[in-house]
Amino acid sequence: MPLTTADFAAIWLTLKLASLTTVILLLVGTPIALWLSRTRSWLRGPVGAVVALPLVLPPTVIGFYLLLALGPHGWIGQFTQALGLGTLTFSFTGLVIGSVIYSMPFVVQPLQNAFAAIGSRPLEVAATLRAGPWDTFFSVILPLARPGFVTAAILGFAHTVGEFGVVLMIGGNIPEKTRVVSVQIYDHVEALEYAQAHWLAAAMLVFSFVVLLALYSSRRSRAGWS
């Protein structure tokens, strides 16, 4: 069999991590993107820059500072230890935290663009009909921004699947706990198991191509309908 039991365990862990990260990012990123698209506050620039930092920072830099923050001497690590939870480093929860931070711009920016493209007119019409904030969001903003949500979900999921530096720094290489596909490929290469590495790497290549093809096809389809 080309793929081993350890390979399948890494694939399952990766899919689990990417799915949970995408859901969290959509929940957390939506209000951030909505605020960035509407506010005129001077904080818009600094907040936008912080959200976009993972686009320019090496993954190892983000992973290093998260390792310090989540570790036994970090402020988050000390807090979780005080709660009796131990530290979050080298755990699946730590991987989720790192993935959320590292993939944040890939979800927030598509949503921000989608919200900005709506404009103020639909919101003004909803206000004249006495729609509340929640009603306006679910009845007006959400349907109009649906393509942005699709793009954000696809990019967030795919980017999480392809992580390496951040997850390796925070989670290490623990089988069935923190060893994701990218780390498993690295292990195969280190052990000179190029055949196994090839199968996993080829699967990642095909997955990435299918994701991008689906993304561009959906954009082309929407452009054709507009």
Side-chain angles (χ1 to χ4, degrees):
M1 178 181 290
L3 298 180
T4 65
T5 303
D7 293 334
F8 282 111
I11 292 172
W12 164 247
L13 186 67
T14 302
L15 295 176
K16 178 182 174 183
L17 175 64
S19 300
L20 183 57
T21 298
T22 302
V23 172
I24 295 175
L25 279 172
L26 289 174
L27 293 175
V28 175
T30 296
I32 296 175
L34 188 59
W35 182 81
L36 288 172
S37 68
R38 300 295 174 186
T39 186
R40 294 184 179 179
S41 170
W42 65 271
L43 289 172
R44 177 181 179 181
V47 172
V50 169
V51 169
L53 269 178
L55 294 175
V56 296
L57 278 178
T60 49
V61 173
I62 300 174
F64 171 69
Y65 283 111
L66 284 175
L67 184 65
L68 294 180
L70 299 175
H73 303 295
W75 63 276
I76 298 178
Q78 292 179 352
F79 177 71
T80 55
Q81 289 180 101
L83 294 177
L85 301 175
T87 60
L88 300 179
T89 52
F90 308 109
S91 68
F92 182 76
T93 303
L95 290 187
V96 173
I97 294 174
S99 299
V100 166
I101 294 175
Y102 187 51
S103 295
M104 180 73 73
F106 292 87
V107 172
V108 171
Q109 291 188 353
L111 291 178
Q112 182 181 346
N113 293 335
F115 293 147
I118 294 175
S120 58
R121 180 62 179 171
L123 305 183
E124 293 171 354
V125 173
T128 59
L129 297 175
R130 299 182 180 180
W134 287 107
D135 190 21
T136 300
F137 177 78
F138 286 105
S139 301
V140 180
I141 297 177
L142 192 59
L144 292 177
R146 185 175 63 86
F149 278 94
V150 173
T151 300
I154 292 175
L155 290 179
F157 186 91
H159 190 252
T160 304
V161 168
E163 289 178 10
F164 176 72
V166 171
V167 295
L168 185 62
M169 291 287 288
I170 299 176
N173 188 3
I174 306 174
E176 299 184 10
K177 188 175 181 182
T178 62
R179 184 187 292 172
V180 294
V181 170
S182 57
V183 178
Q184 181 73 0
I185 293 174
Y186 179 77
D187 282 351
H188 283 316
V189 173
E190 273 201 322
L192 302 180
E193 298 170 348
Y194 293 124
Q196 290 88 339
H198 167 71
W199 279 100
L200 275 180
M204 291 284 286
L205 179 62
V206 172
F207 170 79
S208 301
F209 175 78
V210 171
V211 166
L212 291 175
L213 181 62
L215 180 60
Y216 285 115
S217 296
S218 64
R219 287 180 176 177
R220 184 177 180 180
S221 176
R222 291 196 300 268
W225 281 101
S226 60

